[in-house]
Amino acid sequence: MKNSRIETSQILFSAKRASTLFSPSRVAIATAACAVLLSSGTMAQELSVPCDETEEKALATAKKDEVKRITAFTPAVTIERVNPRYPKMAARRGREGWVRVSYVIDEQGNVKDPVIDDYFGSSAFKRSALSAVEQWKFEPAMKDGKPTQQCHQLVQMDFKMGGQTGARRKFIIAYKEVDEIFRSGDIEAADQAIEALHAWDSLNRYENTWLLSLDAQIANALQDEKREAKSLSRVLSSNGSKQHNDMVFSEDYIANVYQRMIVLDAQRGQYADALASFESLKGMEEQQARVDEIMPVVAQIEEQIASDQHLQLTAELNQRGAWFHTLVRNKFAFNNIQGDLDTVEVRCETHREKFTVAEDHIWSIPESWGQCRVLVKGDDAATFDLIEVAES
């Protein structure tokens, strides 16, 4: 399998679809929802609560539909990093994978509020990664001469065993069976078969990458854009790097993955992620043809961001009761909340703020804070619309 040709026809970018990436109905709904917010006289929330107010106190005293500031911060320097322990059972089985962790550095230089952004492999990897990150130590960031918090920290921890290269015979046989079912046109049967392959607890990094690539193709055939995007993102996390000379797939194939992710993220309103993929694509050698091909989509994304239309995307909290989104504008609001949302945390390059969640409020973020990610927590499967508000 190591030298096998990878079929990419299922995930290739189609220039014909570029003109239909942005749904007029979604823009209209977002505009109408924000019109209600703005006409109700709601103002952008002033961030005036003391920095040392704790989350528990704020949540306990918050009135219904009241938005409160809970915490704040700015930049830090690494003193010590502890490597995660390899879980014994995963090591015995040869299981490999990775964990992406988002975290905050507090005023004492300790890691606070680590959150699993995504992972693949043994669930034990999550516990090990969190345990390691929590032990990291930094010289704290400073603000006005005083220690303060720092956010927008994201790290990927790889769990790899020495000497593991290529796919094992057992996996190759199982993979080819799923692939043959898929290529026969029985997509539902292929989906069930690959689910069984996902359940294996002995997959190495090489096998993970092939499995995720096929999963993305099946998701594409099922027209499940969310699943396809997630699988392709995991392909990138599992693939290795040219720098370390451990890439599973070729650079040309990875460039194709970036190209497809730009399309998927644009269709789903994940504009910051799409632009980040575009920057990665531009940084690759000998990929100018793909850059030129995808430019019309990127131009539409930039036009949407700069427009006077509100941007809306519908979100659902994952099984861990969390959801991340990178903002492209400095104002946002919630609408159509179904289920319980506890907090919305804005993690920016130089500041961090946490609020209780309410509809009929517009949050305004100072440009000086840099690019921000929104972390929403609540009950798993809760859904809502997040609207990025136009400046006008």
Side-chain angles (χ1 to χ4, degrees), residues 207-362:
E207 294 162 345
N208 288 341
T209 314
W210 277 81
L211 172 63
L212 289 164
S213 176
L214 182 55
D215 190 272
Q217 295 183 52
I218 292 174
N220 177 279
L222 293 171
Q223 298 183 340
D224 188 339
E225 295 178 352
K226 181 180 178 180
R227 172 179 165 184
E228 182 184 0
K230 186 172 186 177
S231 291
L232 291 179
S233 174
R234 289 175 165 181
V235 166
L236 296 175
S237 293
S238 303
N239 189 64
S241 67
K242 184 177 182 180
Q243 177 184 359
H244 294 99
N245 195 31
D246 64 351
M247 294 180 69
V248 175
F249 292 152
S250 69
E251 279 204 305
D252 191 61
Y253 181 77
I254 294 303
N256 179 74
V257 171
Y258 277 125
Q259 193 178 29
R260 178 61 179 158
M261 285 187 65
I262 293 169
V263 174
L264 290 170
D265 286 334
Q267 290 173 330
R268 298 182 305 123
Q270 302 283 359
Y271 298 144
D273 293 339
L275 294 178
S277 293
F278 181 62
E279 289 302 314
S280 296
L281 179 61
K282 288 198 301 181
M284 300 181 71
E285 298 177 0
E286 301 179 1
Q287 296 299 329
Q288 189 58 48
R290 293 191 186 278
V291 171
D292 293 341
E293 186 177 17
I294 203 70
M295 271 301 299
V297 177
V298 175
Q300 286 191 48
I301 293 173
E302 293 174 339
E303 183 180 342
Q304 284 290 109
I305 294 172
S307 74
D308 59 359
Q309 300 293 320
H310 304 303
L311 309 176
Q312 174 183 307
L313 67 157
T314 298
E316 179 178 350
L317 300 190
N318 60 29
Q319 292 180 341
R320 299 185 295 275
W323 178 77
F324 274 107
H325 172 68
T326 303
L327 298 169
V328 293
R329 289 178 173 172
N330 295 325
K331 294 180 181 180
F332 68 94
F334 292 97
N335 191 49
N336 193 29
I337 298 174
Q338 303 294 322
D340 292 330
L341 301 182
D342 297 329
T343 60
V344 53
E345 184 175 339
V346 182
R347 295 187 172 189
C348 306
E349 293 171 354
T350 61
H351 289 271
R352 171 192 180 216
E353 303 288 345
K354 191 180 288 185
F355 308 87
T356 51
V357 178
E359 294 188 25
D360 302 330
H361 288 277
I362 297 176

Side-chain angles (χ1 to χ4, degrees), residues 59-110:
L59 289 172
T61 60
K63 298 177 182 178
K64 184 177 181 180
D65 291 340
E66 181 180 11
V67 179
K68 283 185 175 287
R69 174 182 176 176
I70 302 176
T71 46
F73 76 74
T74 315
V77 180
T78 304
I79 296 177
E80 180 182 4
R81 287 196 178 187
V82 176
N83 291 325
R85 291 186 178 183
Y86 215 111
K88 291 182 180 180
M89 185 60 70
R92 290 195 192 103
R93 297 182 179 279
R95 190 65 164 118
E96 296 183 329
W98 47 266
V99 181
R100 285 201 302 267
V101 181
S102 175
Y103 62 96
V104 173
I105 303 169
D106 70 11
E107 296 88 343
Q108 287 74 45
N110 300 315

